[in-house]
Amino acid sequence: MKKILLFLATASIIVACTTNAVTGRKQLALFGEATLQQQALSEYQSFLSQNKVVNSGSSRDAEMVKRVGNRIASVITQYYTNIGKASELNGYKWEFNLVDSKEVNAWCMPGGKVVVYTGLLGITQNEAALAIVMGHEITHAVAHHGNERMSQGALAQGLEIVGNIATANNPKYNNLFNNIFAPTAQIAVLLPNSRNQEYEADHFGLNFAAMAGYNPNEAIAFWQRMAAASNGQKPPEFLSTHPADENRIARLREFMPEALSYYKPVGK
Ligand SMILES: [Zn+2]
């Protein structure tokens, strides 16, 4: 009996190992994207109801967050369509909200639910740098990085994943989901962002920002400001999940020629 279960588990893991549409990297995806999106939507709504959302009708910053987000979402949709992978974005209903908080942070949940904290804008300082950060966070979502991390977590915790995966009604699933996606959990659990995922989010986030008409060169200055902001004190939340070391900046310089090849400035 045990052998059969083991076999089934192995088989389902092989099946669940998919090739990422954007990056070409093989990754583990044990959870259905629709289930993740459904849970993310309810998490997102509850987060917005418990925090102060800045009204885009009366705030240029909130308007900017929506403008940048929509531009990036639109080039990503175009990009996935061009490479024949439009279905990867099934169920995406993009939302971009600015939340009043000193936290230096931003995130994107499965399904395209994005939050930017006002505290981040003091460091981005311009629209292109905001686009770099949003491009990075959105890439984590569209590259299914959360699913990968949940899948790794499920294996590590021995969550029963044989048959058809956990459902949103399963408390263990909920726990895992909250550990990966709940905004309050980001610092504790998202801290050891895998190097691969960070690399991909930097690389493709930069490309997507450039395709959306934002100067990718702003990424260097932005990460230098992030590094300066953490000097001698507790680093901003975003920084602690996204270490701004010299390696990252060196890497961004390597990505720059490719990103610049996509860059067509548009208006403001
Ligand atoms: Zn990241």
Side-chain angles (χ1 to χ4, degrees):
M1 186 60 183
K2 260 200 175 146
K3 260 189 188 157
I4 293 171
L5 278 180
L6 190 66
F7 168 77
L8 284 174
T10 313
S12 79
I13 288 162
I14 292 166
V15 169
C17 220
T18 60
T19 300
N20 189 286
V22 181
T23 65
R25 181 169 62 85
K26 290 243 187 292
Q27 48 182 193
L28 192 61
L30 299 177
F31 297 95
E33 179 68 16
T35 313
L36 292 183
Q37 287 184 12
Q38 189 187 16
Q39 181 103 354
L41 175 63
S42 95
E43 188 75 36
Y44 190 68
Q45 285 166 340
S46 119
F47 177 85
L48 293 181
S49 70
Q50 289 160 25
N51 288 272
K52 204 174 146 206
V53 178
V54 182
N55 186 333
S56 58
S58 57
S59 154
R60 295 190 133 195
D61 284 343
E63 198 187 313
M64 171 174 71
V65 165
K66 289 194 196 298
R67 177 173 59 244
V68 171
N70 282 317
R71 279 186 185 169
I72 291 176
S74 141
V75 297
I76 286 179
T77 306
Q78 190 61 53
Y79 181 84
Y80 273 77
T81 305
N82 291 347
I83 61 172
K85 300 279 183 180
S87 63
E88 292 273 321
L89 298 178
N90 277 350
Y92 266 68
K93 292 196 181 67
W94 297 96
E95 270 190 71
F96 309 97
N97 282 292
L98 180 65
V99 163
D100 192 7
S101 161
K102 286 197 175 76
E103 252 187 71
V104 178
N105 209 352
W107 42 260
C108 175
M109 283 187 188
K113 305 300 184 191
V114 177
V115 160
V116 172
Y117 296 70
T118 50
L120 177 69
L121 301 182
I123 299 182
T124 52
Q125 293 177 13
N126 61 63
E127 188 164 331
L130 176 65
I132 306 289
V133 176
M134 291 179 75
H136 177 104
E137 292 304 318
I138 289 171
T139 300
H140 276 313
V142 298
H144 308 303
H145 285 165
N147 195 341
E148 185 178 20
R149 303 191 68 196
M150 268 189 77
S151 303
Q152 291 161 345
L155 285 188
Q157 293 178 23
L159 185 71
E160 303 84 18
I161 42 173
V162 182
N164 216 357
I165 317 299
T167 67
N169 299 323
N170 180 327
K172 282 189 187 166
Y173 166 88
N174 283 329
N175 231 346
L176 200 55
F177 183 94
N178 289 329
N179 280 339
I180 303 292
F181 291 110
T184 47
Q186 287 228 339
I187 302 152
V189 183
L190 287 188
L191 187 79
N193 261 346
S194 89
R195 197 173 291 172
N196 273 339
Q197 294 190 345
E198 280 310 298
Y199 192 81
E200 290 170 0
D202 275 346
H203 182 183
F204 292 94
L206 199 63
N207 286 351
F208 293 141
M211 289 174 199
Y214 296 105
N215 189 343
N217 282 308
E218 289 293 336
I220 310 287
F222 164 74
W223 282 107
Q224 286 166 342
R225 287 195 293 277
M226 283 293 275
S230 73
N231 237 346
Q233 38 180 315
K234 190 176 168 283
E237 285 76 3
F238 183 81
L239 190 59
S240 59
T241 60
H242 299 86
D245 54 17
E246 283 164 17
N247 290 341
R248 157 167 261 141
I249 291 174
R251 222 164 56 200
L252 283 165
R253 290 193 203 279
E254 282 169 29
F255 297 145
M256 204 54 72
E258 183 186 335
L260 282 167
S261 75
Y262 292 117
Y263 174 46
K264 286 187 216 84
V266 293
K268 266 208 116 177

